[in-house]
Amino acid sequence: MDKQGQTIDFLLAEQRDQEAALRFLKKAIRRHGVPEKITIEGSAANEAAIKRFNEAHGTAIEIRQIKYLNNMVEQDHRGVKRITRPMLGFTSFDAAQATLVGIELMHMLRKRQLGDGVEQGLTAAEQFYALAA
């Protein structure tokens, strides 16, 4: 998320390791540019990926591990957790990916991040159905 609360990107990976964190970081930077600061949780994989990116590309992204700043991201994830918790897990990675992509898409539509529907005066559900058609 950026500081305005807009979703930058998301990546679902089978392993939560440095390689997955680096893939996510590169994907987000390709779409949105190099940030000055990144607030992360206590994950060593995220920190290592950012440091590796800084070394490889000569950037100086500041890493912040401040608990209260990370709360905004956790609150954003609350909607996903609320929907997936009753499912008691997924039977396969593909099922998890398909479900979570749909949930995140609806979340982004509700936050009015996809401008085309807003300009046409469509509700989040109408935008979703238009994308699915």
Side-chain angles (χ1 to χ4, degrees):
M1 290 179 55
D2 63 11
K3 58 182 155 184
Q4 285 80 34
Q6 299 299 312
T7 302
I8 292 174
D9 215 332
F10 61 93
L11 175 75
L12 180 65
E14 290 188 57
Q15 300 295 319
R16 191 173 173 187
D17 57 6
Q18 182 180 349
E19 293 303 317
L22 189 59
R23 272 197 321 273
F24 173 77
L25 181 63
K26 286 179 179 179
K27 180 180 174 188
I29 288 174
R30 265 194 317 272
R31 289 188 175 176
H32 302 283
V34 179
E36 293 177 18
K37 303 173 189 173
I38 296 179
T39 302
I40 60 172
E41 59 187 339
S43 169
N46 291 334
E47 185 177 1
I50 295 167
K51 287 179 178 178
R52 191 165 139 192
F53 184 87
N54 279 340
E55 290 172 8
H57 295 89
T59 56
I61 300 171
E62 180 184 340
I63 301 170
R64 299 186 304 178
Q65 291 182 323
I66 304 169
K67 190 173 185 175
Y68 77 91
L69 291 175
N70 196 47
N71 285 346
M72 198 164 122
V73 175
E74 293 302 325
Q75 287 300 312
D76 193 58
H77 291 161
R78 185 175 60 175
V80 173
K81 290 176 183 176
R82 180 179 46 88
I83 293 169
T84 58
R85 187 168 289 127
M87 295 176 182
L88 301 174
F90 296 98
T91 55
S92 70
F93 182 80
D94 290 337
Q97 184 176 28
T99 303
L100 294 174
V101 164
I103 292 169
E104 285 294 333
L105 174 62
M106 282 304 297
H107 196 68
M108 290 173 72
L109 289 171
R110 261 189 246 114
K111 288 175 16 178
R112 303 240 180 244
Q113 285 190 253
L114 302 176
D116 295 342
V118 174
E119 293 165 5
Q120 297 174 11
L122 301 176
T123 66
E126 291 168 336
Q127 288 181 57
F128 182 79
Y129 293 130
L131 288 170

